[in-house]
Amino acid sequence: MSGTTASGSGRTAGVPRLTGGGANRWTVLIVLCVSLLFVALDTTILYVAVPSVTEDLRPGPVELLWIVDVYPLIAASLLILFGTLGDRVGRRRILLLGYGLFGLASAAAALAPNPQILMVARALLGIGGAMIMPATLSILRQVFPDRRERAVAIGVWSAVAAVGAAVGPVLGGFLVENFWWGSVFLINIPMMAAMLLIGRWLLPESRGERNGPWDVIGAIVAALGVLGIVLGVKRIGSGEPVVGLTTLLPIVLGILLLVLFVRRQRRREHPLIDVRLFARPAFGTSVTCIVLAMLALVGLQLIAVQYLQLVLGLSPLETGLRMLPLVFAAMAAGLTGSKMLQALGPRAMVSLGFVLTAVAVLCLTAMSSQDRPWLLSLGFVLLGFGFQSTLFGAYESMLSEAPAEQSGGAAAIGETSYQLGAGIGVALLGSVMNAAYAPGLTHVDGVPKRVSASAAHSLGEAYKVAAGLSEGAKAALRETAREAFVRGLHITLVASAVLLLVGAGIALRLPRRAADSTERAEADGEPAPGDHPAGAGRGSGEPAPASSGR
């Protein structure tokens, strides 16, 4: 969709002028992807550094939980705020501010002398990440107005996001084993400094319509609503009871705040987000598919890491290397996504992606306490390709359905859905895993009931309490716990496959094929790209502006 022509300007609001021809757009894409890579890395890179952080800074259990969780919590809650602010004040401006804050916060985290400063630094990293994530996707939407080119760009963008999150444990394991835990943050500083300089010189500025005041109250209400839901879900995922003051209350308050946000946006003449977008089948269905895909896979990924380390006994670096087939398959799906989208259409691509991922998950039920590297590699290849195909098709359909002037808000919705799905997935599949694992530890021969009860909390806890037992009881408890974990893993895999098949059914509401930019413009009553509205000048290599029919 095209943006709205600013009165008297002769150009499309929100669509930047690019003066370097077609090649310049792809250079901009490289900058955006490198930015996203380091933000995605930080979502997982700290996992393998937790033991070193614990040994060095001696945080308490609650402090350690916040050190790990405060980054995704803050980032998820502020995506809508900064996405819509970028539409108003300029997406490049928000992105550059995000670069600066992310680099400074990384320096503070790397040199943190105590847990409190590390928590604050991680919170600031979350703010910087929330500035960067939606800005990269909304600028991409503006720089590539043609849907075919945009599909290629989104494929590259989504592949980089997958690579960042998956490579995080590999890179983190290497850095921690060879340097110290602060190095997982230190690597961000030179890259963010370079991105700040390159981005200021190269990236185009763009913004949406600037009619009416920015809804500050609405942005804060949305941020607090998302924060409440994500906080409650993460507490459930950490093992706290579902019905409790610290779990159910934040979720209920978060839902109420989001309901108030939606009601407020419907009443406002110039809303932060046009909630009518959700009435469009392609947009609402795409968002639902993103949530379901993340819900089914992210919790499973964390469980798989535990399987590789605790059951098979691999080191953090070896664990990351074992997951590289998933990374390469996701990259392949992202890079070929545009051709698949044109050949299959959004409906078939997303549905088949869900089905392929479900098949991969069910194949992994053949895993046991014995190492089967070829089976794991095959399962991860199918998993990475299917999962990334699903996300690619859903993101492309969602972003193409949103008007250009609202691309920041649309990108923020997509990223918030991603984060919500991830948080809910960890809580839901973690709960399924715990429910399936614990009964196997109710009685172990030669092990006191009190010790068995402690071991039932997790496989890591079982190994810890087993260390204080006699050799016979120690071996019995470790073996029983491993078998219970593998059995729980199989049940969790089946539950994940069911969620994925539900997603395949929901994806059938997507359009049968991806309309090209000409068809999309005609459907909205807008001039097609390449047409020249009266009075609209354009420079060499610029996308043709279009006036809005709205």
Side-chain angles (χ1 to χ4, degrees):
M1 288 195 175
S2 57
T4 305
T5 302
S7 177
S9 70
R11 66 176 294 212
T12 304
V15 178
R17 292 184 180 275
L18 296 178
T19 57
N24 204 28
R25 296 196 294 277
W26 302 104
T27 308
V28 169
L29 176 63
I30 292 172
V31 176
L32 297 177
C33 286
V34 172
S35 310
L36 180 67
L37 176 64
F38 279 81
V39 175
L41 275 172
D42 262 55
T43 60
T44 57
I45 198 170
L46 188 61
Y47 290 152
V48 296
V50 165
S52 299
V53 171
T54 303
E55 183 178 351
D56 191 12
L57 300 184
R58 302 292 181 184
V62 175
E63 289 176 325
L64 185 61
L65 184 65
W66 278 104
I67 287 170
V68 174
D69 284 347
V70 72
Y71 174 81
L73 272 175
I74 297 296
S77 62
L78 295 179
L79 287 167
I80 291 176
L81 188 153
F82 286 119
T84 56
L85 183 61
D87 284 343
R88 180 57 59 94
V89 304
R91 292 146 187 152
R92 186 188 75 156
R93 179 177 300 174
I94 295 296
L95 184 60
L96 295 180
L97 287 172
Y99 289 158
L101 181 57
F102 204 85
L104 291 173
S106 296
L111 303 175
N114 56 58
Q116 293 76 28
I117 291 180
L118 183 55
M119 276 190 285
V120 172
R122 286 278 288 170
L124 292 174
L125 278 169
I127 297 173
M131 290 178 168
I132 294 170
M133 282 189 280
T136 60
L137 192 54
S138 56
I139 291 175
L140 183 152
R141 169 68 175 85
Q142 304 300 324
V143 172
F144 293 91
D146 178 76
R147 185 165 187 176
R148 292 178 187 272
E149 282 193 344
R150 185 166 64 247
V152 176
I154 291 175
V156 176
W157 179 91
S158 60
V160 167
V163 168
V167 168
V170 182
L171 181 59
F174 172 79
L175 291 172
V176 171
E177 287 181 11
N178 290 277
F179 302 99
W180 99 108
W181 62 264
S183 61
V184 304
F185 300 111
L186 212 58
I187 60 170
N188 295 330
I189 299 172
M191 188 53 65
M192 287 299 147
M195 288 295 99
L196 187 59
L197 295 174
I198 294 171
R200 186 170 182 178
W201 168 62
L202 184 64
L203 294 177
E205 183 59 284
S206 68
R207 56 176 57 90
E209 294 175 331
R210 306 175 79 175
N211 300 329
W214 185 58
D215 184 10
V216 180
I217 295 176
I220 294 173
V221 169
L224 292 175
V226 174
L227 178 62
I229 292 175
V230 176
L231 178 60
V233 164
K234 280 189 170 292
R235 287 188 179 279
I236 294 172
S238 65
E240 296 192 27
V242 175
V243 181
L245 193 63
T246 60
T247 52
L248 195 59
L249 182 61
I251 293 174
V252 171
L253 289 176
I255 291 172
L256 289 176
L257 287 171
L258 289 182
V259 169
L260 288 175
F261 172 74
V262 171
R263 290 170 63 89
R264 181 180 176 87
Q265 299 310 297
R266 284 178 173 172
R267 290 196 304 267
R268 291 183 64 85
E269 183 180 356
H270 302 291
L272 278 177
I273 293 173
D274 186 357
V275 293
R276 292 174 298 178
L277 282 173
F278 286 93
R280 301 185 181 190
F283 189 90
T285 302
S286 297
V287 170
T288 304
C289 288
I290 292 170
V291 172
L292 269 175
M294 295 304 299
L295 192 154
L297 262 296
V298 169
L300 190 60
Q301 184 181 21
L302 294 178
I303 295 169
V305 169
Q306 293 180 53
Y307 168 79
L308 292 171
Q309 291 188 358
L310 299 179
V311 176
L312 299 186
L314 303 181
S315 69
L317 181 58
E318 289 172 330
T319 297
L321 292 174
R322 281 292 187 94
M323 299 188 76
L324 283 181
L326 186 150
V327 176
F328 293 139
M331 290 175 60
L335 296 175
T336 59
S338 176
K339 293 185 181 298
M340 287 196 296
L341 185 69
Q342 292 302 320
L344 300 174
R347 181 186 300 177
M349 182 175 181
V350 177
S351 294
L352 290 175
F354 270 122
V355 171
L356 179 60
T357 310
V359 170
V361 166
L362 291 174
C363 285
L364 291 175
T365 57
M367 292 190 302
S368 67
S369 55
Q370 302 299 316
D371 191 5
R372 298 178 180 177
W374 290 108
L375 173 66
L376 280 175
S377 296
L378 175 62
F380 283 159
V381 166
L382 296 177
L383 192 67
F385 195 89
F387 178 59
Q388 190 61 28
S389 298
T390 299
L391 280 186
F392 173 89
Y395 264 114
E396 201 282 336
S397 296
M398 180 203 73
L399 205 59
S400 295
E401 191 68 17
E405 65 271 15
Q406 296 182 27
S407 62
I413 290 172
E415 292 295 287
T416 303
S417 303
Y418 186 102
Q419 297 290 341
L420 280 175
I424 295 170
V426 170
L428 179 62
L429 294 185
S431 298
V432 171
M433 180 69 194
N434 290 336
Y437 165 79
L441 276 297
T442 53
H443 177 72
V444 182
D445 290 337
V447 177
K449 287 187 177 181
R450 177 180 54 81
V451 175
S452 295
S454 297
H457 293 154
S458 69
L459 183 57
E461 184 70 17
Y463 284 178
K464 188 182 298 184
V465 298
L469 300 176
S470 63
E471 285 301 318
K474 175 181 177 180
L477 181 57
R478 288 175 64 92
E479 180 64 26
T480 303
R482 269 198 303 269
E483 291 176 358
F485 183 90
V486 171
R487 185 166 56 251
L489 175 59
H490 292 166
I491 294 172
T492 307
L493 287 167
V494 172
S496 179
V498 170
L499 290 172
L500 291 165
L501 293 176
V502 169
I506 292 173
L508 296 176
R509 296 185 68 236
L510 289 171
R512 188 179 297 276
R513 67 188 186 91
D516 62 27
S517 54
T518 302
E519 292 170 331
R520 175 68 66 186
E522 290 173 350
D524 291 336
E526 301 173 352
D531 295 344
H532 295 267
R538 79 180 213 180
S540 173
E542 289 179 41
S547 60
S548 175
R550 287 178 291 279

